[in-house]
Amino acid sequence: MANRESKTDVLQGTLDILILQTLASLGPSHGYAIAARVEKVSNGRMQINMGTLYPGLMRLEQRRAIRGSWGTTDNNRKARFYDLTPAGRKQLELGKREWNRTVGIMQALLSEPK
Amino acid sequence: MGAIREWFQRLWGTFRETPEDAAMEEELALHLEMAADDWQRRGLTREEAIHQARLQAGGVAQAMEQRRDQRGLPWLGDLLQDARFGARMLRRAPLVTAVALVTLTLAIGANSAIFSLVDPLLFRDLPVREPASLVEFTFQFPRDPPLNMFSLASYERYRDGNHVFSDVFGLAPLTTQSRTGDEPIGTEVVTGNFFQALGVRPALGRLLEPSDDRPGAPAVAVVSWQYWQNRFSGDARVLGASIDIEDTRMPVPMYATVVGVAERGFSGVVVAYRPDVWSSLATVPDAVRSRASFALIARLRPGASIEQARAEMRVLDRARIEELSKRDPQWLGVAIDVAPARTGLSTALHQQFGGPLFVLMMMVGGVLLLACVNIGGLLLARGAARQHEMAVRVSLGAGRFRIVRQVLTESLLLASIGGILGITGARVGATILMRMMISGTRAPGPTPSLDIPLDARVVGFTIGVTVMAALLFGLVPAIAAFVSAPAPALRQAIGAPPRARRVAGNGLVIAQVAISVALLSVSQLSIAHLRHLRDQSLGFDRDRVLLLSVNSSRAQTPARALALYRDIVPRLKAIPGVRAVATSGITPIAPAAASRFLQAEGFDEPAQDRRRAAMNWVSPNYFATYGTPLLAGRDFRDTDFGLPRRVIVNQTVARHYFAGRDPIGRHVWLENEREPYEIVGVAGDAKYHEVRDAAPPTVYVLAANSGGSTEFSLRTDVSPAAVAADARRVVTEVLGDDSVRRVTTLAEQVDAAIVPERLLAILGGFLGASGALLAAIGLYGLLAYTVARRTKEIGVRMALGATRGDVVRMMLKQALLLVLTGVGLGLPAAFWSERLTAMMVEHLAAGGIVPIVVGASALLAVGLLAAYGPVRRATRVEPIAALRAE
């Protein structure tokens, strides 16, 4: 149990943004579409497995950042589609800002001449 | 916000039985399928694609598990499961559960009840700014208790002359009667800086301010939040309302205008007293104000210590004390001091009950410990029965910590039920106790009222006690569960328990006996103390005396008083069943008292060493009525009225002032009187005002009454209550309808003065007995278990020729060994508890070895009684049957 905690803890901050951002650019999507999109955008460098993705989706849903509903895919299969809520949009904005700030600080720190 | 929502959802998810698992699984399956489709599209075969998808996306089972964890709160789910299982286990052993629950309810309830009284009385800080820096002032004549009573002049001197206090403020309770006819109003006259210094804020309007003390300022008042709610229903129109203030010392009622309401939660600074109204100095006429005594409080400047304050107070009033001592040398011995006041100004309730309540707190703590050990033993014994179950669970893969958690959850469940029942009972108990306590305070002034709220502190304390109890009594079975090795336990379902378990069982019984010895000695001590106060060394016979308090203001002149005396006394004496009648100004152990400085013929002492003598004004037959012996000389006679001044003194006076000489015929002088009195008799020493103190030097002056109030005392041959109606009728016939103020018996009056000791003795006795009972149950349980376990062994022994006597000896040896070891270990604890009790309860002398011996022997008897049943059963063992049973 403790193991799982630490694993998600590391990912949690970025995972939320990844999911939210993906939904923002794709619109309502099912879980696999999100995973595939992340993998594609990262050129295969980032893969999200189901054990990470679905608890993450559930957490965001519990926080009312996204809303899930059953629908049908292009090839007519029943799937659960997730969509951003206004609260999710706000969280994404905040997350982006925070991320950029962190990246800026890290860059400044790392490029500091010795 | 999001996080809270998430937790709420998860909490909901824990309790909800959801059909979502299937949906989740479907979602995951779809995910895998789509991934495989993608791989296939990239050129892999279907099989390879599925394999690749699995590799990348992870297992369905793991994802499901993690999702389920995210859905609810896993630990809460486990806890609920443990609790459900625990509840089943408790139901399965109803007797054990019932005994444990009764014990726990009693122990936790007693702790909660005593704490809810002790906390506001002794521990709780005033709800004001920085209560730790508050101190109160006291002044003390030698041989008297310290008092916080000062004049306004002193207040001004201290306020303006000190260097260590940031504020000095004062208050004076008024004895108010309501003018409007409804309930009386509790009023405190306070200095204008009272609220500012305490840091209290207004709930409405403004509070009193220093400018309210200026000469000519209007009379204004602030009401308490409570009073505002009750009397004005929280209406803002309270501002500007007029409040009538009446004090017995004031010739006319005064009016004050309400200017504000104090903040909620502030109920004054006096322990166990909550005023309704705080009024400004201007509400009291100058003449009364200058004579009134104020209780003074100060706030230490930041950085100033209480030692600095003490030093300051010693010099601050030196000049005035020297001035006063020129007239009255007694003042030289006066000590002015400061004391911490963070919990508020102490009152009679606090002083009288603080110590006994503290002792009771210790005792209920002891009972709780005892209860925990007892239940621990019970659970341990049952744990033996459940060993098999535990072993099965361990072999099926349950972790040891999971098992321990299961055991502790069960303890917690048990304790929680006990805690809930306990706190409910405690509310009732505490209310009854508080009524008893208040009936026992006889300080003049407003009636104390102690709030026993079900507040966070009491609830927190009870929860703390409950959890602690659960951990304590769950500890032993938990350890036993932790170390239980599954394999052997499974192999031998029945048989001799492991040695460790036996030692633990014995240890628990020994601990119970030891705690119980300490409890019993303290309860013995408190009972002996009560008996001592009640029956011995009073110096008068408290039984069968009726007391009538008579309003005799109409009989002011001595001649008229004498006439009334001669009229009433013979009529009272004529009532059948009345043996002797006397009047006096004061009755023993009553709230009223009087004393004067005494000088005696032929006894020279420096003026500042003079002592006060207790005074009483008595008629002939007073000593016969009270059963106080006359040791020398004679009683007053009816013919003494009108003769020169005669007194009877008690033995203490005779011994101190006339050591070795005959006091009869010698003279004494009373303070402020020029003419001497001649001593005609010496009476035995008798308790006067305070039942706990030794009899003071006492002077009895002959008088038919003493203006204002006269007490008639009737010594009866029958129950005093039987003549009460007749006596009342006789007095009202002569003096009018409302002349009788109070009818009581001497025994009741004495009992009312020793409520703290009675409370301690009753509750202490009860707790001691409960402790002994618990120890007996523990011993009985262990012995019964031993007999059951050793039935086969006993059978073998008897088959081999052991007699019943041998078996009895064997069993008794075990019982006695346990009890004696417990008693031995309990002795130091008992001794220490006794000393602590003597320290906490004033006038209580540690009884030395006697209460301990009584306690120990009582426990020995109880132990043998508990052993009787199991031993009897052991002797009934039929060798053949026992052997066949295997």
Side-chain angles (χ1 to χ4, degrees):
Chain A
M1 229 189 301
N3 229 344
R4 176 185 63 87
E5 295 285 354
S6 60
K7 219 195 293 175
T8 40
D9 275 354
V10 175
L11 266 171
Q12 197 157 320
T14 50
L15 181 70
D16 284 4
I17 300 182
L18 281 175
I19 295 174
L20 292 172
Q21 177 59 45
T22 309
L23 287 177
S25 38
L26 287 185
S29 327
H30 49 73
Y32 179 71
I34 298 170
R37 163 83 176 181
V38 169
E39 194 182 340
K40 195 172 154 209
V41 170
S42 67
N43 280 325
R45 276 171 300 181
M46 184 174 273
Q47 296 182 342
I48 312 178
N49 66 23
M50 296 192 298
T52 308
L53 176 65
Y54 287 94
L57 285 169
M58 187 175 239
R59 186 174 55 245
L60 286 168
E61 210 180 341
Q62 282 165 343
R63 294 185 174 201
R64 304 260 196 281
I66 59 176
R67 202 182 300 119
S69 56
W70 291 95
T72 44
T73 62
D74 302 340
N75 29 3
N76 225 6
R77 279 157 74 176
K78 204 175 143 222
R80 198 164 163 79
F81 282 80
Y82 297 92
D83 191 11
L84 277 181
T85 64
R89 268 176 223 292
K90 205 187 285 170
Q91 192 187 332
L92 177 60
E93 281 315 305
L94 284 175
K96 271 186 186 165
R97 217 176 300 152
E98 185 63 24
W99 178 254
N100 286 333
R101 213 171 64 92
T102 312
V103 169
I105 292 170
M106 288 306 287
Q107 254 165 5
L109 249 169
L110 295 176
S111 58
E112 203 175 10
K114 280 183 187 167
Chain B
M1 195 51 202
I4 295 170
R5 245 192 227 139
E6 177 192 335
W7 282 96
F8 193 74
Q9 289 282 321
R10 292 177 72 171
L11 192 65
W12 176 233
T14 307
F15 294 102
R16 201 176 34 171
E17 298 280 334
T18 48
E20 280 173 13
D21 274 10
M24 274 192 215
E25 223 157 326
E26 195 180 330
E27 203 178 352
L28 296 178
L30 180 72
H31 184 114
L32 279 180
E33 217 172 305
M34 289 169 116
D37 286 354
D38 266 2
W39 282 110
Q40 209 173 357
R41 227 170 285 142
R42 281 180 222 172
L44 292 186
T45 64
R46 183 68 194 166
E47 233 158 72
E48 280 170 338
I50 290 176
H51 178 71
Q52 197 59 35
R54 283 249 166 87
L55 216 61
Q56 195 181 22
V60 173
Q62 288 92 319
M64 281 297 292
E65 188 56 34
Q66 284 177 19
R67 250 181 104 149
R68 253 183 238 123
D69 282 356
Q70 174 65 32
R71 187 181 82 199
L73 300 167
W75 52 268
L76 190 61
D78 287 354
L79 191 72
L80 284 178
Q81 194 192 339
D82 281 357
R84 268 198 290 270
F85 184 75
R88 245 194 336 268
M89 286 287 117
L90 294 182
R91 268 205 303 275
R92 196 178 289 172
L95 187 68
V96 173
T97 306
V99 169
L101 269 186
V102 169
T103 310
L104 273 174
T105 303
L106 199 88
I108 296 177
N111 273 276
S112 179
I114 300 291
F115 179 80
S116 63
L117 291 175
V118 163
D119 184 45
L121 217 49
L122 299 180
F123 299 132
R124 196 179 301 167
D125 277 349
L126 287 174
V128 301
R129 175 166 53 88
E130 288 174 53
S133 67
L134 293 178
V135 294
E136 64 170 315
F137 293 178
T138 61
F139 92 99
Q140 183 174 25
F141 273 111
R143 290 188 291 267
D144 278 346
L147 294 170
N148 184 347
M149 289 169 87
F150 294 86
S151 66
L152 264 190
S154 302
Y155 158 69
E156 279 157 14
R157 261 197 316 283
Y158 300 157
R159 183 193 59 192
D160 301 334
N162 81 81
H163 304 92
V164 288
F165 306 118
S166 58
D167 294 287
V168 179
F169 53 102
L171 60 133
L174 285 183
T175 323
T176 43
Q177 259 126 32
S178 169
R179 293 277 299 164
T180 39
D182 26 76
E183 74 282 13
I185 308 173
T187 308
E188 272 173 11
V189 175
V190 298
T191 57
N193 55 352
F194 179 81
F195 291 104
Q196 279 180 8
L198 287 170
V200 174
R201 277 182 295 270
L204 187 72
R206 70 166 177 98
L207 299 178
L208 300 182
E209 284 153 14
S211 59
D212 289 317
D213 286 353
R214 276 199 312 246
V220 291
V222 166
V223 298
S224 76
W225 201 88
Q226 204 71 38
Y227 186 67
W228 179 46
Q229 293 299 320
N230 295 343
R231 188 75 178 68
F232 295 92
S233 323
D235 191 330
R237 274 175 294 179
V238 64
L239 300 183
S242 173
I243 287 201
D244 304 359
I245 293 174
E246 192 177 37
D247 185 277
T248 45
R249 289 164 296 185
M250 286 199 282
V252 285
M254 295 290 295
Y255 300 94
T257 310
V258 176
V259 293
V261 178
E263 70 183 280
R264 186 180 193 170
F266 177 72
S267 57
V269 293
V270 182
V271 173
Y273 171 60
R274 21 179 65 235
D276 303 308
V277 175
W278 294 275
S279 71
S280 67
L281 294 180
T283 35
V284 186
D286 282 342
V288 176
R289 211 189 307 164
S290 57
R291 274 185 288 119
S293 350
F294 280 76
L296 297 189
I297 308 176
R299 189 182 280 290
L300 291 169
R301 264 182 212 291
S305 70
I306 199 157
E307 281 69 34
Q308 281 170 296
R310 285 209 168 103
E312 172 103 1
M313 290 312 290
R314 270 198 289 277
V315 293
L316 201 58
D317 237 8
R318 168 69 63 72
R320 191 180 64 105
I321 286 176
E322 275 169 8
E323 184 66 32
L324 283 169
S325 61
K326 274 182 202 150
R327 213 190 54 186
D328 184 352
Q330 288 285 324
W331 275 93
L332 278 179
V334 162
I336 297 187
D337 203 354
V338 296
R342 60 184 304 165
T343 58
L345 298 186
S346 81
T347 53
L349 197 68
H350 179 199
Q351 285 152 5
Q352 290 174 14
F353 288 94
L357 279 178
F358 186 86
V359 172
L360 286 175
M361 193 80 229
M362 289 194 330
M363 288 190 80
V364 291
V367 168
L368 183 71
L369 194 63
L370 188 53
C372 288
V373 175
N374 189 280
I375 297 170
L378 270 178
L379 293 185
L380 187 72
R382 215 163 63 83
R386 281 178 64 183
Q387 216 174 11
H388 193 72
E389 169 213 328
M390 295 288 182
V392 169
R393 298 183 66 175
V394 169
S395 358
L396 288 180
R400 287 191 165 190
F401 282 103
R402 189 76 173 73
I403 298 269
V404 167
R405 204 171 71 181
Q406 171 66 45
V407 172
L408 284 181
T409 306
E410 276 178 54
S411 313
L412 204 59
L413 189 69
L414 201 59
S416 304
I417 302 174
I420 291 167
L421 293 177
I423 201 168
T424 318
R427 304 285 303 150
V428 180
T431 312
I432 296 172
L433 285 184
M434 191 198 55
R435 288 218 192 96
M436 281 177 73
M437 280 162 60
I438 286 176
S439 80
T441 45
R442 15 171 237 151
T447 330
S449 77
L450 193 60
D451 224 23
I452 28 177
L454 187 65
D455 63 359
R457 283 171 69 104
V458 173
V459 173
F461 175 83
T462 311
I463 292 175
V465 163
T466 303
V467 171
M468 207 188 68
L471 288 180
L472 262 177
F473 70 70
L475 194 66
V476 178
I479 292 174
F482 188 76
V483 300
S484 65
L490 276 178
R491 223 174 292 132
Q492 46 162 135
I494 296 173
R499 199 180 126 71
R501 196 176 281 273
R502 228 163 50 221
V503 170
N506 288 347
L508 289 180
V509 168
I510 290 172
Q512 288 177 52
V513 172
I515 300 169
S516 175
V517 167
L519 277 175
L520 269 180
S521 341
V522 173
S523 79
Q524 265 312 303
L525 188 64
S526 54
I527 291 170
H529 179 53
L530 177 67
R531 200 175 303 139
H532 174 78
L533 281 184
R534 210 172 181 153
D535 304 327
Q536 294 158 21
S537 67
L538 283 174
F540 52 81
D541 179 3
R542 54 173 252 154
D543 294 319
R544 292 207 302 279
V545 177
L546 184 76
L547 303 177
L548 273 91
S549 193
V550 171
N551 196 342
S552 55
S553 55
R554 284 181 237 177
Q556 284 300 352
T557 66
R560 173 98 179 104
L562 191 57
L564 285 175
Y565 168 80
R566 291 200 162 131
D567 193 6
I568 296 174
V569 169
R571 290 211 220 181
L572 287 174
K573 210 172 166 208
I575 297 172
V578 175
R579 197 196 307 167
V581 180
T583 69
S584 58
I586 281 162
T587 53
I589 326 297
S595 65
R596 299 265 187 88
F597 283 113
L598 187 70
Q599 276 178 273
E601 179 185 346
F603 186 86
D604 291 321
E605 61 185 341
Q608 68 265 27
D609 288 347
R610 265 180 219 156
R611 292 191 187 189
R612 289 169 191 272
M615 296 293 302
N616 203 350
W617 295 266
V618 304
S619 73
N621 286 323
Y622 176 85
F623 300 100
T625 304
Y626 277 90
T628 302
L630 276 166
L631 304 175
R634 61 170 179 86
D635 191 6
F636 296 127
R637 299 183 196 113
D638 280 354
T639 49
D640 286 341
F641 287 118
L643 290 178
R645 303 142 73 88
R646 306 279 165 86
V647 291
I648 293 175
V649 297
N650 74 349
Q651 211 181 349
T652 303
V653 170
R655 207 178 288 132
H656 182 75
Y657 294 96
F658 303 99
R661 298 174 293 157
D662 182 11
I664 306 297
R666 300 201 183 257
H667 294 84
V668 291
W669 286 264
L670 293 173
E671 181 189 359
N672 300 336
E673 286 186 49
R674 264 236 203 106
E675 295 293 314
Y677 288 86
E678 184 192 330
I679 297 173
V680 295
V682 176
D685 282 343
K687 295 285 173 81
Y688 180 71
H689 170 63
E690 174 51 74
V691 74
R692 298 162 190 90
D693 289 344
T698 312
V699 174
Y700 300 92
V701 179
L702 175 65
N705 88 2
S706 61
S709 158
T710 295
E711 310 284 340
F712 285 90
S713 308
L714 285 71
R715 158 75 50 190
T716 58
D717 293 320
V718 293
S719 155
V723 301
D726 283 339
R728 186 189 275 272
R729 187 178 41 77
V730 166
V731 173
T732 49
E733 269 172 22
V734 178
L735 287 171
D737 276 344
D738 1 310
S739 54
V740 177
R741 281 205 295 225
R742 200 169 65 106
V743 181
T744 181
T745 67
L746 184 57
E748 277 170 11
Q749 184 157 305
V750 174
D751 273 348
I754 50 175
V755 171
E757 285 82 1
R758 278 164 57 209
L759 203 70
L760 184 62
I762 293 170
L763 287 183
F766 172 71
L767 292 173
S770 314
L773 183 67
L774 282 180
I777 291 176
L779 184 66
Y780 173 85
L782 186 81
L783 289 179
Y785 176 60
T786 308
V787 170
R789 185 170 55 75
R790 291 172 73 179
T791 304
K792 196 176 121 189
E793 181 205 327
I794 294 169
V796 171
R797 279 172 191 264
M798 289 177 85
L800 293 179
T803 62
R804 282 178 201 275
D806 291 335
V807 174
V808 169
R809 253 195 302 284
M810 183 180 86
M811 294 302 300
L812 273 187
K813 206 175 109 187
Q814 189 196 353
L816 273 179
L817 199 67
L818 288 176
V819 174
L820 286 179
T821 313
V823 168
L825 289 176
L827 285 182
F831 196 68
W832 179 80
S833 321
E834 245 194 53
R835 292 222 350 225
L836 194 61
T837 307
M839 224 160 69
M840 293 312 298
V841 182
E842 258 186 298
H843 305 278
L844 184 147
I849 199 72
V850 177
I852 298 180
V853 168
V854 173
S857 2
L859 211 70
L860 208 63
V862 168
L864 288 180
L865 214 62
Y868 175 77
V871 169
R872 217 168 105 92
R873 205 165 320 132
T875 61
R876 295 268 167 91
V877 168
E878 287 299 329
I880 305 298
L883 288 173
R884 204 178 288 147
E886 186 55 1

